[in-house]
Amino acid sequence: RNMAVEEDKQALQSLAARTAQLLPDPTPDPSDREATLEHCVKIKNIAATYFKEQKYDWAGKTYTDVIECLLASFGGSKMAMLQGASTLVHTCYSNAALCALKIGEYGQCRDMCTSALDARPTGLEKAKVLFRYGQALLALGQPREAGKQLLEAAQLDPKNGAIRQEYNKARQALGLSTTSKKTSGTDAGGDKLKEAKEALRGNKQGVDVEAFTKVVEGGQLGGAADVPPPNVSPPV
């Protein structure tokens, strides 16, 4: 245990030293909001550098450093921080979640996604958070909750094959079938839709049937064989 503590200490020291090299500027007074925001963006860019170097633990820690810096600037008020810097907040939480996902820290990823959603991202940015949230929940053995997050993600980003693949995994874990290839013709499509509705209602998994119907009818969720290899979005 002592050896592990010492290794963690050395890792943090290495991280601090590298960050100081990349960002030699002194930390501004937290009361100077504009200077602090500029400083936080620089720290975020350093985190992105660590991610590209596949130092995911360093990147995740640095993204959370941005949040801590922002929180201090807003007097420790999370509400004020969310109102004053929501885009930077959700971006850093989302990217920290991706880093946690990369190193198998699924509980941490889930928590980071929850915090990212508190900042109320929209559109594709929200889809990205929900995708990571769903992946973490699947890994934690919670397919029902994962399915809910992934369904919403699919609605926000219907062309994203990686989301469809994870959604199919959630369905399989719940005992729902996935088609191995596309069906064609009105009858086949109707049968597929009817089967999906009955399966969802029969399993009582709390999935939004009407939302699922819209996605299936629009051809936005294919079978497992229709899905391209997963493509994990890089941090922004």
Side-chain angles (χ1 to χ4, degrees), residues 37-116:
L37 287 174
E38 291 179 359
H39 186 73
C40 286
V41 170
K42 291 179 181 178
I43 299 175
K44 169 183 166 290
N45 292 338
I46 290 173
T49 297
Y50 292 151
F51 187 92
K52 290 176 183 176
E53 295 174 352
Q54 299 184 6
K55 295 178 179 177
Y56 303 123
D57 51 344
W58 282 24
K61 176 66 172 62
T62 306
Y63 281 122
T64 56
D65 285 346
V66 176
I67 302 299
E68 292 175 6
C69 183
L70 283 172
L71 192 60
S73 179
F74 284 91
S77 171
K78 183 177 179 180
M79 183 65 69
M81 179 182 70
L82 291 174
Q83 292 176 346
S86 60
T87 299
L88 186 55
V89 170
H90 84 66
T91 297
C92 287
Y93 273 130
S94 178
N95 291 344
L98 176 58
C99 294
L101 197 61
K102 285 283 191 179
I103 59 177
E105 294 289 346
Y106 303 117
Q108 184 180 356
C109 177
R110 174 201 58 206
D111 295 344
M112 290 294 173
C113 289
T114 300
S115 295

Side-chain angles (χ1 to χ4, degrees), residues 108-182:
Q108 184 180 356
C109 177
R110 174 201 58 206
D111 295 344
M112 290 294 173
C113 289
T114 300
S115 295
L117 292 173
D118 286 341
R120 298 187 177 181
T122 59
L124 295 180
E125 290 304 313
K126 184 176 182 181
K128 218 184 277 187
V129 177
L130 293 170
F131 177 37
R132 294 163 187 173
Y133 197 2
Q135 287 178 295
L137 290 171
L138 269 178
L140 291 168
Q142 301 175 44
R144 182 176 65 180
E145 291 303 315
K148 292 178 182 179
Q149 308 305 325
L150 293 165
L151 175 59
E152 186 176 354
Q155 291 174 299
L156 291 168
D157 190 4
K159 295 182 180 180
N160 191 314
I163 293 176
R164 286 181 288 163
Q165 186 176 56
E166 292 302 302
Y167 184 74
N168 277 333
K169 287 182 182 178
R171 291 181 64 202
Q172 288 175 326
L174 292 170
L176 305 179
S177 63
T178 58
T179 55
S180 60
K181 60 182 179 179
K182 289 183 179 179

Side-chain angles (χ1 to χ4, degrees), residues 18-32:
R18 177 75 191 285
T19 302
Q21 289 178 345
L22 295 173
L23 183 61
D25 302 340
T27 302
D29 188 315
S31 62
D32 188 339

